[in-house]
Amino acid sequence: MSELVYAESAPGVGVVGLITGSAGLGKTSFAVRGAHSVRPSFPGGVYFIDLFGMSQRPLASEDALLVLLRALGVPAPQVPGDLHERASLYRSLLHDKRALVVLDNAASEEQVRPLLPAAGMSRALVTSRRLLAGLEGVRRLGLGPLSLADSMRLLTGILGERAVSDEESALTRLAELCGGLPLALQIIGNRLASRPAWDAAELAGRLADEESRLDQFKAGDLRIANAFGMSYEQLSESARRVFRRLAVIPGRDFDAALAAVAGSMPIEDAWTALDDLVDLGLLQDSTAGRYRFHDLVRLFARDRFKEEESPAGAQAVTGTVTSWLLRMATMAGRWFEPGYGRPNRPDPDLAALASAEEADWWLRVNLDTWVGAMRTATSSSQEHSLVLDCAESMHWFSERWVHSPHWHEVFALGAQAAAALGDLAQQATQLNYLAWVHSVPPADPRSALRYADEALELATRSDATAQVAWALEYTAGALLLLERPEKALVFSSRAAETFKSIGDTDCYVQCLANVAHCLRSQGRYAEALEQYRTGLALMDDERSGMTPSVANHSRPFALIRIGQCLGHLGRRAEAITTLGEAISLLDALQVSDFRHAGALEELATLLAEEGRPEESRLTYVRAAQVFESIGDTEAHRRCHVLATARS
């Protein structure tokens, strides 16, 4: 508050503090309390006026000046009739006074400009839901939601003594559900304080139901929906349409392209609508061009959507948004699939993705929305083909983001869509992907075995030879994790033979690597090394039939295994060189997963054994960083300790 009202301004400009924020954040309370706290510094008085900025008829500037001039002691007959004359008299009276004028709930720059003091000793404090970006030379303070700790302090302060008798976990849950909005906390606190027999846990249970949550935020004449509704009424019809339709987006945030799809408008119009929504605090924006709702505002938007859209219209909007997200995700995922990449004929309805980097970025930042769209399409028993296409397109991209926890759901929904379509071969494919997901650390090999077994049965029934081979391969991988390498070797060898028989060199090479894994797990390092090198030779041979992109992706992993075998065979210098080459290739591919981390840890160990402690320490540090990024806290701690020991 001191920075808003005490700081000096530029010559000829009055000091004006502007407090902005969405409905329910307590701007007025903050301004009033602040004004009381600095009152001793303003012997000329503190004046407060409500400008009714959110009403259908905000207070006109000339009427506001009349009220202020009367408060400053000007008799009614001496108040000029002209707006400019009133403003001139008002500023002259404030010039030599040390007064503070609180202009609450301002509607616009036009309304508030005549009410601002000129240079002198007086100060003004303005509150508004709008950003009032056209005001120059003002000191701005944007209020946001309270932290959970501050929310708890406010809630328990409202409850007083009864807060001691309520369970802390229930009060914490209530505070969380209020989303840091002081108005919401006040309403919930008042409801509990006025009903001593109520149980806080029971009220938290009521609020947990999203369908009725907004209705619970009412106490007497206080309703949080009314506060949001006043902002909603200020919007143009097109902005209202965008606002309520954004509620169907199945994710926490979104961009202007998706807003344009939801609003059925050109993206230029969507930008305008989004600016209006941010200006009124109904949306939050970020520097990355992303927008998001406050949780309670989203519920209000959903209620407006149900009330103001016809059932047929609501279904059409949901279907349009869901379809667009699934098609966008499919297009982005196929950038990483051999044989696809840049679309030859891009869908004009979709946002352009000019490179694999852009596709990667889109899939990551929109993860919640496109996975949510898969969920929506599956639950509505529609668009099974789109869901299946989307899941299938993620096969290669999932290798780039192997530790994302969403792949379990993505491929499960893909399998469900394939089953709904009666496509046994595709169902087997998705089940094989699920077997792979459950083999990624932290692995669940028994679930991997179960999915691989289901995939094998369906693939056999549908004569899907490649999926039969993959089921055998994933069975082998699960058996290896269960420390049964002899049996795993049998399954992996069968998979390799099957792929070789159908001329699929890409998959054959991957199976050779798994055969080598089985041999290595039995301590047969020389035989494993030979198998790894056979696979690497096929990757390096342009005539082998391997897809170049697959060879480039597979090469560093082959080198890692070769380096590990060389290390076990006591050929440390060769192992260090080979692992270093593999890590350089992974860095170039921007792959950072458990295999990358394991290679770094292996290299650090070998460097230490070779008497190169500083290089070993730095490599352990890198390994610890990668382990931390993938959520392996135990391995992160282990490498961190080893790095520290070599300092």
Side-chain angles (χ1 to χ4, degrees):
M1 181 60 69
S2 298
E3 292 183 6
L4 291 177
V5 300
Y6 288 148
E8 294 301 321
S9 63
V13 179
V15 173
V16 178
L18 174 60
I19 302 169
T20 60
S22 62
L25 285 175
K27 297 178 293 298
T28 299
S29 297
F30 181 81
V32 169
R33 290 188 182 187
H36 278 296
S37 71
V38 299
R39 188 183 187 105
S41 300
F42 294 97
V46 175
Y47 303 90
F48 179 94
I49 184 167
D50 187 347
L51 300 177
F52 297 101
M54 288 296 105
S55 71
Q56 292 299 315
R57 296 182 62 184
L59 189 64
S61 301
E62 51 263 45
D63 294 335
L65 283 168
L66 173 61
V67 174
L68 289 168
L69 286 169
R70 292 296 305 278
L72 288 166
V74 179
Q78 296 180 24
V79 175
D82 179 73
L83 170 63
H84 297 292
E85 291 180 2
R86 286 186 182 183
S88 179
L89 176 59
Y90 166 71
R91 286 176 175 146
S92 66
L93 290 172
L94 290 179
H95 187 272
D96 295 324
K97 269 181 172 295
R98 190 161 183 81
L100 175 64
V101 181
V102 180
L103 304 169
D104 187 46
N105 197 11
S108 65
E109 296 92 336
E110 182 182 15
Q111 179 197 38
V112 83
R113 275 197 185 99
L115 312 181
L116 303 179
M121 294 186 292
S122 289
R123 305 288 190 258
L125 195 59
V126 184
T127 74
S128 179
R129 292 191 192 181
R130 295 187 180 275
L131 297 177
L132 302 186
L135 290 183
E136 299 177 356
V138 300
R139 300 181 184 278
R140 298 176 178 272
L141 174 64
L143 296 185
L146 300 176
S147 66
L148 181 59
D150 287 339
S151 296
M152 282 289 288
R153 278 190 283 273
L154 177 56
L155 181 59
T156 54
I158 295 170
L159 293 174
E161 293 182 0
R162 78 153 286 171
V164 179
S165 61
D166 284 312
E167 292 183 14
E168 184 177 353
S169 60
L171 294 179
T172 300
R173 183 57 182 150
L174 284 173
E176 290 173 342
L177 290 166
C178 289
L181 290 188
L183 178 59
L185 291 159
Q186 181 185 355
I187 290 171
I188 293 303
N190 287 352
R191 293 192 72 183
L192 283 175
S194 62
R195 295 169 175 82
W198 275 24
D199 181 64
E202 182 184 349
L203 181 56
R206 292 188 201 175
L207 291 175
D209 181 8
E210 279 196 356
E211 292 299 319
S212 60
R213 183 181 303 167
L214 213 58
D215 289 336
Q216 298 296 323
F217 284 98
K218 58 183 178 183
D221 62 350
L222 287 178
R223 288 179 63 94
I224 201 159
N226 291 346
F228 299 148
M230 292 175 71
S231 295
Y232 183 69
E233 292 301 320
Q234 301 293 312
L235 297 169
S236 65
E237 180 49 45
S238 60
R240 289 184 199 176
R241 182 172 72 250
V242 172
F243 172 76
R244 61 180 180 262
R245 290 184 175 185
L246 289 173
V248 307
I249 294 175
R252 292 190 61 82
D253 62 2
F254 47 86
D255 59 14
L258 185 50
V261 172
S264 302
M265 60 177 59
I267 194 166
E268 294 80 10
D269 293 342
W271 281 117
T272 300
L274 291 167
D275 284 345
D276 289 344
L277 293 171
V278 170
D279 190 42
L280 275 165
L282 290 170
L283 281 183
Q284 303 162 15
D285 64 350
S286 70
T287 54
R290 309 287 297 177
Y291 299 84
R292 67 187 303 167
F293 282 113
H294 184 281
D295 287 345
L296 295 179
V297 177
R298 180 190 292 277
L299 295 179
F300 174 76
R302 189 192 63 188
D303 284 355
R304 292 298 88 216
F305 182 74
K306 290 179 178 178
E307 288 289 328
E308 299 180 34
E309 300 281 350
S310 67
Q315 185 176 4
V317 171
T318 303
T320 297
V321 169
T322 300
S323 171
W324 188 88
L325 282 167
L326 293 175
R327 288 182 291 122
M328 271 296 300
T330 301
M331 179 181 72
R334 283 177 174 163
W335 267 96
F336 308 98
E337 187 170 350
Y340 280 95
R342 183 191 297 272
N344 292 326
R345 293 190 298 276
D347 188 332
D349 293 335
L350 302 180
L353 297 173
S355 65
E357 290 72 25
E358 286 188 19
D360 183 294
W361 179 86
W362 191 94
L363 287 167
R364 290 174 191 261
V365 300
N366 290 286
L367 176 67
D368 285 345
T369 55
W370 62 261
V371 173
M374 291 184 73
R375 204 178 296 129
T376 299
T378 301
S379 64
S380 64
S381 301
Q382 296 176 355
E383 307 288 7
H384 293 305
S385 294
L386 286 179
V387 172
L388 181 57
D389 285 347
C390 185
E392 179 61 28
S393 74
M394 295 300 149
H395 171 49
W396 284 90
F397 176 69
S398 62
E399 274 279 332
R400 293 173 64 98
W401 198 9
V402 69
H403 292 286
S404 171
H406 299 82
W407 299 128
H408 297 76
E409 182 177 13
V410 167
F411 297 129
L413 290 171
Q416 190 174 337
L421 292 168
D423 190 331
L424 298 185
Q426 273 294 339
Q427 190 178 355
T429 301
Q430 299 299 312
L431 289 169
N432 271 327
Y433 295 161
L434 279 169
W436 167 76
V437 167
H438 285 84
S439 299
V440 172
D444 181 0
R446 298 197 181 281
S447 292
L449 273 178
R450 185 177 74 253
Y451 285 119
D453 189 55
E454 290 180 39
L456 181 60
E457 192 268 332
L458 291 173
T460 302
R461 282 170 54 193
S462 58
D463 292 324
T465 305
Q467 294 309 316
V468 168
W470 276 121
L472 294 170
E473 178 71 346
Y474 290 130
T475 299
L479 290 169
L480 263 182
L481 291 170
L482 292 169
E483 298 182 353
R484 296 162 66 184
E486 296 88 353
K487 191 169 184 180
L489 181 58
V490 174
F491 279 90
S492 201
S493 298
R494 284 177 58 195
E497 291 167 7
T498 303
F499 280 125
K500 188 175 183 179
S501 69
I502 61 176
D504 191 331
T505 309
D506 291 343
C507 298
Y508 171 64
V509 168
Q510 291 189 55
C511 289
L512 283 182
N514 216 30
V515 168
H517 296 346
C518 298
L519 294 169
R520 191 182 57 148
S521 296
Q522 298 176 66
R524 297 159 65 180
Y525 299 117
E527 295 173 74
L529 179 61
E530 182 179 350
Q531 288 285 350
Y532 286 130
R533 283 182 164 163
T534 299
L536 182 63
L538 290 170
M539 297 173 204
D540 292 337
D541 185 356
E542 295 180 355
R543 299 167 298 175
S544 68
M546 278 200 80
T547 304
S549 61
V550 176
N552 290 336
H553 178 80
S554 304
R555 188 173 289 108
F557 303 116
L559 290 170
I560 288 173
R561 302 307 185 190
I562 289 171
Q564 290 170 337
C565 283
L566 289 169
H568 283 294
L569 291 168
R571 296 158 64 177
R572 284 199 296 265
E574 293 175 75
I576 288 170
T577 299
T578 304
L579 286 170
E581 183 182 350
I583 291 165
S584 295
L585 289 174
L586 289 174
D587 290 341
L589 291 171
Q590 297 182 325
V591 173
S592 184
D593 60 19
F594 67 99
R595 296 165 295 190
H596 186 195
L600 286 164
E601 185 176 10
E602 184 93 15
L603 177 58
T605 302
L606 291 169
L607 287 167
E609 292 172 356
E610 280 289 285
R612 296 158 68 175
E614 180 58 18
E615 292 174 79
S616 174
R617 183 187 70 81
L618 293 174
T619 307
Y620 272 127
V621 168
R622 281 199 66 195
Q625 291 170 343
V626 177
F627 276 126
E628 183 178 30
S629 72
I630 64 177
D632 192 334
T633 54
E634 182 180 346
H636 162 72
R637 190 180 303 111
R638 178 179 67 243
C639 290
H640 178 71
V641 169
L642 289 168
T644 304
R646 284 157 177 76
S647 298

